[in-house]
Amino acid sequence: MSGTTTQGPQETRIFAPSAAFAAQAAVAGMDAYNALCAEAAADYEGFWARLAKEHLDWQTPFTRTLNEDNAPFYQWFEDGKLNVSYNCLDRNLQNGNADKTAIIFEADDGTATHVSYRQLHEKVCKFANGLKARGIKKGDRVIIYMSMSVEGVAAMQACARIGATHSVVFGGFSAKSLQERIIDAGAVAVITADEQLRGGKRLPLKAIVDEALGLGGCDSVKDVIVYRRTGGDIAFKAGRDLWLHELVDGQSADCEPEWVEAEHPLFILYTSGSTGTPKGVQHASGGYLLWAALTMKWSFDIKPSDVYWCTADIGWVTGHSYIAYGPTAVGATQVVFEGIPTYPHAGRFWETVAKHKVSIFYTAPTAIRSLIKASDVDPKVHPKNFDLSSLRLLGSVGEPINPEAWMWYYTQVGGEKCPIVDTFWQTETGGHMITPLPGATPMVPGSCTLPLPGIMTAIVDESGQDVPNGQGGILVVKRPWPSMIRTIWNNPERFKTSYFPEELGGKMYLAGDGAIRNKDTGYFTITGRIDDVLNVSGHRMGTMEIESALVANPLVAEAAVVGKPDDTTGESICAFVVLKQARPTGDEAKKLALELRNWVAKEIGPIAKPKEIRFGDNLPKTRSGKIMRRLLRVLAKGESITQDVSTLENPAILEQLKETS
Ligand code: WTA
């Protein structure tokens, strides 16, 4: 474990929430926050039991809150039964929200459609009955490979309703990545769309599913269910493929929910780690939904009158917790956006906020940074040209937000009146972990501030000992929490070694990030991953995966991939490649770099394309043959090497790898 920093955050600006915001907030002031923390500290299980009873509807109440007998395979609320879709939909029909808008679908072309809770419930019930009619049942796995749509959310909810475990695969992943996930999950069905519309372009989905299934090994898949989005021309395989509208036609609008145990796997979501293939992060039903719902109230201060908008895609965990499940569980009205931030112009986010009177807006720092740049180039797309007076809270997620981007977000978008919640969390944590509470915590740009009540985060050294504030270390969570990852699908051993390593005593959750706490405030600042995971535009990727993709190309002998700081995307991918043929230069190098970038797009997906490829005769290696990635990181940044290179077998190679060929 390396890469932790001992540099303290220098930021001294501090912004307290306004008195007006604090007065109406769910957690109003630091005293209220401290009281919740004290309650958790005094009676940890009692605290979570109270919240689980207050915020979820149980068909069978639980009597045991936490079972630690088989740690780190923790179980929460294990003898309780519930249904996630019942909690997200039926509850809203009973509590007066039936005609409230659940989803405002903002299509790529600017068309908006309102779907009420009653309509969403009906859609989900028909969908669920359709799945049942195909023989899909509790415990089956279903892959969802869809664009942003009401149907995408409904597909997830329909699986939850019948107790099928879904695994959503981001629509930007390649056929090969999709095939790997289908095989690992042992999926019985794939739900997809004919095509997706993004930025005015039609992009294939069904064709990629066909390709994935054609790669072989996917015999478990019996059905491919296709939502007609564009009406584009697609191939149909008789007996396997069916249209969603035909599947739901004539189905009953009622579907008795399948009551499942709290620990029943709601979903598997694949994410990257430092080694090997992507890991299928498995989440439970009860604990997960509790935290998705509760953080909507605590972190976002959601109120019945809010219009909430999270710009994430349902293919990522943010789209699970903060689109498909959290907002519906609390009966919110939310915008679901099909498009991209720069189409038809880079003011699209602000125009849409004004159009739907969005009051809570949640996006990623990479989007903010690219929109800052765009409005420098074209002042017409600057937020000041749009009526953003409806906004009352802003959120950030997915990567560290640099103080300049934070200040722009705060002043130019939020008009200095909206608190910003910089929410630190992960696919594995299920929901927010460290974040300001908008009516309580004084904010410091670039710091995610303090853990949520009940979340026992700490910073330790490599032997698991606490480090003092002001000294960087490894971020851990010392107690299990309800929405935590339950295991890695098909690989419980990997779950243990990845997240509960013996070096740290086997009981602390290892987040994989470095962090530091401010000496005076105790505030947390995340200093970045301590493993070989990159964060490009808020998308998580393992360097190993990209290296494996590159060496799978017949031209490539060896490859090493590192991250390079990037003004817009946070990090960018820089690949050092040794070919089987002589090292190319000039136009030949350009041509081959393009070929390899496209190759990676085909192997993993366009998000994994290296931004830069440098060719060498070799890679810097120790005498024992280990690639010195540390030096490659320095070279990628364009800095000169000041480290000791005496252990290097071939120091001359550094000169060659300094620049793009
Ligand atoms: C990073 C996304 C700093 C971090 C929800 C983490 C952040 C990884 C923040 C998880 C934040 C996420 N500040 N870093 N507010 N939020 N990260 O699984 O490195 O796609 O480990 O989950 O993103 O990415 P994932």
Side-chain angles (χ1 to χ4, degrees):
M1 286 178 244
S2 60
T4 52
T5 171
T6 50
Q7 297 296 306
Q10 305 305 316
E11 185 60 56
T12 52
R13 286 171 288 193
I14 193 152
F15 299 85
S18 71
F21 195 101
Q24 57 80 64
V27 183
M30 285 309 274
D31 287 349
Y33 166 76
N34 289 326
L36 285 165
C37 294
E39 184 191 344
D43 176 9
Y44 195 64
E45 289 190 33
F47 170 79
W48 288 114
R50 172 177 77 78
L51 295 168
K53 284 175 195 154
E54 278 174 22
H55 296 272
L56 297 181
D57 281 13
W58 296 86
Q59 190 250 3
T60 307
F62 60 91
T63 62
R64 188 171 190 187
T65 303
L66 171 62
N67 178 348
E68 302 190 69
D69 297 349
N70 194 21
F73 299 93
Y74 300 99
Q75 304 212 304
W76 285 90
F77 319 121
E78 60 181 3
D79 57 347
K81 281 191 166 187
L82 81 173
N83 180 279
V84 166
S85 131
Y86 176 88
N87 273 274
C88 296
L89 302 171
D90 304 53
R91 266 207 304 194
N92 286 304
L93 303 194
Q94 290 147 19
N95 65 13
N97 280 340
D99 295 315
K100 181 175 177 175
T101 299
I103 294 177
I104 304 171
F105 178 64
E106 168 77 17
D108 189 58
D109 67 5
T111 318
T113 320
H114 289 239
V115 180
S116 69
Y117 272 99
R118 192 195 309 282
Q119 290 166 323
L120 188 60
H121 177 266
E122 182 176 327
K123 215 181 227 319
V124 168
C125 284
K126 288 188 166 182
F127 206 145
N129 283 326
L131 296 178
K132 280 209 275 194
R134 300 302 303 172
I136 300 171
K137 56 184 189 312
K138 180 181 172 193
D140 285 343
R141 274 84 55 210
V142 174
I143 294 275
I144 300 176
Y145 187 67
M146 286 269 254
S147 55
M148 286 299 290
S149 52
V150 177
E151 283 66 21
V153 174
M156 294 164 79
Q157 289 280 354
C159 288
R161 193 156 193 97
I162 63 169
T165 300
H166 62 68
S167 184
V168 185
V169 178
F170 175 60
F173 277 116
S174 68
K176 181 135 183 289
S177 296
L178 179 60
Q179 176 222 20
E180 285 165 4
R181 286 155 175 76
I182 291 171
I183 294 174
D184 190 71
V188 299
V190 179
I191 303 173
T192 189
D194 50 359
E195 294 175 313
Q196 55 179 330
L197 268 178
R198 284 171 64 81
K201 293 198 195 88
R202 289 171 163 211
L203 304 168
L205 283 173
K206 170 65 165 56
I208 295 175
V209 172
D210 290 342
E211 196 186 332
L213 297 176
L215 291 172
C218 302
D219 299 339
S220 57
V221 174
K222 303 290 176 241
D223 295 298
V224 175
I225 298 162
V226 188
Y227 162 54
R228 182 181 274 160
R229 172 63 186 109
T230 62
D233 200 15
I234 54 165
F236 240 69
K237 186 168 169 182
R240 185 196 72 182
D241 300 349
L242 64 159
W243 287 110
L244 176 62
H245 57 262
E246 288 175 7
L247 177 73
V248 299
D249 188 32
Q251 294 293 347
S252 160
D254 285 312
C255 175
E256 173 68 11
E258 178 80 33
W259 304 107
V260 300
E261 312 74 48
E263 283 296 312
H264 181 69
L266 176 64
F267 67 86
I268 305 166
L269 185 57
Y270 287 85
T271 191
S272 296
S274 28
T275 54
T277 48
K279 310 180 268 202
V281 172
Q282 181 181 319
H283 277 288
S285 300
Y288 170 82
L289 189 67
L290 169 64
W291 204 225
L294 192 52
T295 47
M296 285 300 298
K297 298 177 188 175
W298 283 357
S299 318
F300 293 135
D301 192 51
I302 193 89
K303 295 285 190 306
S305 56
D306 277 310
V307 178
Y308 163 94
W309 182 17
C310 165
T311 68
D313 191 285
I314 53 166
W316 308 113
V317 74
T318 309
H320 283 58
S321 307
Y322 298 110
I323 294 177
Y325 293 116
T328 50
V330 299
T333 294
Q334 69 171 324
V335 175
V336 169
F337 179 47
E338 180 179 38
I340 59 170
T342 48
Y343 177 81
H345 55 75
R348 179 72 184 268
F349 273 2
W350 322 129
E351 187 176 70
T352 306
V353 166
K355 177 175 170 190
H356 299 302
K357 303 208 168 13
V358 170
S359 55
I360 301 177
F361 180 68
Y362 191 37
T363 197
T366 192
I368 299 166
R369 286 190 296 263
S370 71
L371 298 180
I372 295 174
K373 283 199 172 159
S375 63
D376 286 346
V377 176
D378 176 7
K380 284 201 299 298
V381 300
H382 191 279
K384 69 177 177 225
N385 302 310
F386 302 87
D387 176 8
L388 304 183
S389 57
S390 55
L391 287 172
R392 68 178 196 96
L393 188 148
L394 302 172
S396 171
V397 59
E399 40 170 337
I401 178 162
N402 46 309
E404 306 79 68
W406 194 100
M407 285 307 300
W408 188 86
Y409 201 26
Y410 187 69
T411 57
Q412 308 302 307
V413 181
E416 297 180 41
K417 70 175 173 56
C418 303
I420 297 181
V421 290
D422 175 2
T423 59
F424 168 83
W425 61 296
Q426 309 175 298
T427 305
E428 293 87 342
T429 69
H432 302 157
M433 298 296 277
I434 311 181
T435 174
L437 287 180
T441 323
M443 297 163 287
V444 170
S447 168
C448 49
T449 74
L450 297 170
L452 286 164
I455 301 296
M456 306 302 185
T457 47
I459 302 181
V460 300
D461 64 19
E462 305 206 349
S463 64
Q465 299 301 312
D466 285 319
V467 301
N469 287 359
Q471 188 179 319
I474 298 165
L475 181 69
V476 295
V477 189
K478 289 196 167 176
R479 297 281 282 139
W481 68 102
S483 67
M484 68 192 295
I485 172 176
R486 292 306 193 265
T487 188
I488 293 176
W489 181 258
N490 270 341
N491 208 339
E493 260 320 298
R494 194 173 171 201
F495 165 74
K496 276 210 238 181
T497 51
S498 306
Y499 301 113
F500 293 91
E502 284 303 327
E503 300 92 292
L504 300 181
K507 287 211 154 182
M508 281 186 227
Y509 169 81
L510 173 72
D513 283 286
I516 184 166
R517 296 186 75 166
N518 182 283
K519 268 198 178 131
D520 306 320
T521 57
Y523 277 12
F524 287 75
T525 292
I526 305 297
T527 50
R529 298 287 305 193
I530 54 169
D531 51 13
D532 292 318
V533 170
L534 305 183
N535 194 325
V536 182
S537 299
H539 299 155
R540 235 172 107 167
M541 259 162 304
T543 50
M544 275 269 297
E545 281 169 72
I546 307 168
E547 287 169 10
S548 312
L550 283 166
V551 294
N553 184 292
L555 294 174
V556 176
E558 234 183 338
V561 167
V562 297
K564 171 178 174 175
D566 185 286
D567 277 356
T568 309
T569 58
E571 264 186 307
S572 69
I573 302 168
C574 182
F576 294 87
V577 173
V578 181
L579 296 180
K580 289 177 186 158
Q581 67 197 58
R583 172 175 177 257
T585 53
D587 285 348
E588 172 73 356
K590 285 205 181 79
K591 190 185 125 235
L592 287 169
L594 182 69
E595 197 175 312
L596 291 181
R597 294 178 74 241
N598 290 336
W599 172 269
V600 174
K602 193 107 187 105
E603 286 285 297
I604 306 176
I607 53 170
K609 270 188 186 181
K611 184 166 179 192
E612 197 181 331
I613 293 187
R614 298 188 195 178
F615 294 103
D617 292 321
N618 205 336
L619 297 172
K621 286 182 192 148
T622 60
R623 294 202 172 85
S624 58
K626 198 168 172 279
I627 299 172
M628 300 274 283
R629 287 193 171 70
R630 188 165 53 83
L631 298 178
L632 291 176
R633 274 185 219 115
V634 178
L635 289 176
K637 276 196 241 174
E639 289 172 1
S640 41
I641 295 198
T642 53
Q643 289 95 331
D644 177 20
V645 294
S646 59
T647 56
L648 216 58
E649 170 85 37
N650 51 351
I653 202 71
L654 298 175
E655 201 48 39
Q656 196 180 67
L657 295 172
K658 259 186 174 166
E659 281 158 34
T660 311
S661 334

